[in-house]
Structure formats: C-alpha cells, structure tokens
Amino acid sequence: YVNPILIIFSKPKNEIDSYIHMINSQNNQVLPYVISNNKNENITDFFDFNNNNLVFITNNKKENIIYIINFDSSFEVSYIKKIIIKENILSMKLFNNYLAIRSSINEIIIYDIIECKSIISLNDKNLLYFDLKFNTVVVLIKEEKPTLYIYEIKPDFQLIGKKVIDYLTDEPKIYI
C-alpha cells in the first residue's frame, strides 16, 4: 500500500506563516485544504498522514494542540478532533489509529485517535527512542546496557519481547 496523499510543509523565506498542503498523487490534484498558522497558534513541524487521518501539531506558547482530521474515501473531511498537551513535544509517530507522542518529560503517550483518548502512558528518564507500527510499540531504554522493550498495545498492554543491545551510536534510532 502506498499512501496516495502527499503532505507538503512549507515555510516561505521571510514569512511568519507555515503551511500544510495536501496533494492526491493518484490524480495530481491539490486537495482544497490549506492549513496555516492563525493569530493564536503556530504550526510545528510535527505532522503525518496515515489511514486517511491527517495529524498535525500547533503551539500557542502555553500548550500544544494536536489536530486529527479524518477524511472519507473521496478526501472530504469527516471530522476534526483535538487533544491538548501542556508539555513540549519531542517526537510523534502515527500508525493506523494509534498516535504516540514523546514529551519533554520523557513520557510516551499513546492515543487512540478514533476515540480521541490516551490509552497508554510510559515514563522513563532513560528513554532514548521509540517506534510504533501495527499493534506494537518498541522502546529503547538506556540501562546498564541499552535495552529494547517490545510491547503489544491491545487488547492488554503487555511486554512481548526484550533485547539487550551491545553497542549504540551517539544518536540511536529504531524502525519497525
């Protein structure tokens, strides 16, 4: 499966505004939606599109607002939801109906974006990196030896695997 929607984030030189444009790559049509800053919120560079959901994050200097826009099969807006987070956001992963956010307090919060509620929260001061795919989240923790923890998200959040890593680069990343 190849996602037919291209997301373009732009911030023209010498302008304050940022923009998100969407293009349907199957027919080369620009979708009639342009998302930009407003007087109270600035778009951050956290955005993704998966399973007909566009997720992007804005900041209003007090909090981060996560917008979830769901599109139907003809790419008309079905609904818009939002989630507010007080902490700074360091990274974001989106897969199907799961959204994982890493905050500045080394917490990973996993949201079910259909229900628009958090379903899991992990907090570890030694968190290095994480990734999310299907029904799985993988977390890399700096311990005596760096360790990968593999969790199944649903039906019950549980550890399904663990792997000690002998060597890491300075900026480790994992992809599942």
Side-chain angles (χ1 to χ4, degrees):
Y1 170 77
V2 174
N3 191 346
I5 302 300
L6 299 173
I7 306 297
I8 300 171
F9 177 77
S10 64
K11 186 169 186 146
K13 197 172 186 174
N14 300 324
E15 283 196 32
I16 304 169
D17 285 340
S18 299
Y19 301 93
I20 295 176
H21 300 271
M22 296 174 285
I23 299 170
N24 185 333
S25 64
Q26 291 178 329
N27 60 14
N28 291 328
Q29 295 293 313
V30 175
L31 296 181
Y33 311 104
V34 176
I35 299 161
S36 65
N37 298 341
N38 63 41
K39 68 179 184 173
N40 298 319
E41 298 175 36
N42 291 314
I43 298 174
T44 68
D45 58 356
F46 295 114
F47 59 91
D48 203 350
F49 188 91
N50 186 277
N51 202 27
N52 281 9
N53 291 297
L54 171 65
V55 175
F56 65 95
I57 301 174
T58 65
N59 180 281
N60 66 9
K61 296 186 179 163
K62 291 188 279 186
E63 57 198 9
N64 294 287
I65 301 102
I66 302 168
Y67 287 91
I68 301 155
I69 303 174
N70 178 268
F71 295 91
D72 64 18
S73 59
S74 61
F75 297 107
E76 295 293 323
V77 173
S78 292
Y79 59 80
I80 299 173
K81 298 178 180 180
K82 65 181 178 177
I83 300 167
I84 296 174
I85 296 181
K86 300 277 186 211
E87 292 80 21
N88 287 329
I89 294 174
L90 300 179
S91 60
M92 172 185 106
K93 303 280 182 171
L94 175 67
F95 191 83
N96 287 340
N97 296 327
Y98 296 128
L99 171 66
I101 299 290
R102 180 180 178 188
S103 73
S104 57
I105 59 171
N106 276 338
E107 178 180 31
I108 298 172
I109 304 170
I110 300 175
Y111 294 92
D112 180 319
I113 61 173
I114 300 299
E115 296 177 22
C116 204
K117 69 175 188 175
S118 64
I119 54 175
I120 295 160
S121 174
L122 296 167
N123 196 315
D124 193 306
K125 65 180 179 175
N126 295 315
L127 174 66
L128 293 172
Y129 201 79
F130 77 98
D131 199 8
L132 171 75
K133 186 89 43 131
F134 301 108
N135 191 38
T136 306
V137 63
V138 177
V139 181
L140 180 60
I141 304 290
K142 183 179 181 180
E143 296 178 339
E144 187 174 311
K145 285 198 171 199
T147 306
L148 275 175
Y149 291 91
I150 305 161
Y151 296 95
E152 181 179 63
I153 298 171
K154 284 187 176 181
D156 297 314
F157 187 72
Q158 64 180 337
L159 181 67
I160 58 172
K162 180 179 172 181
K163 172 81 173 137
V164 175
I165 309 293
D166 291 325
Y167 174 77
L168 286 180
T169 60
D170 290 337
E171 293 185 34
K173 293 186 178 179
I174 52 177
Y175 299 99
I176 54 174

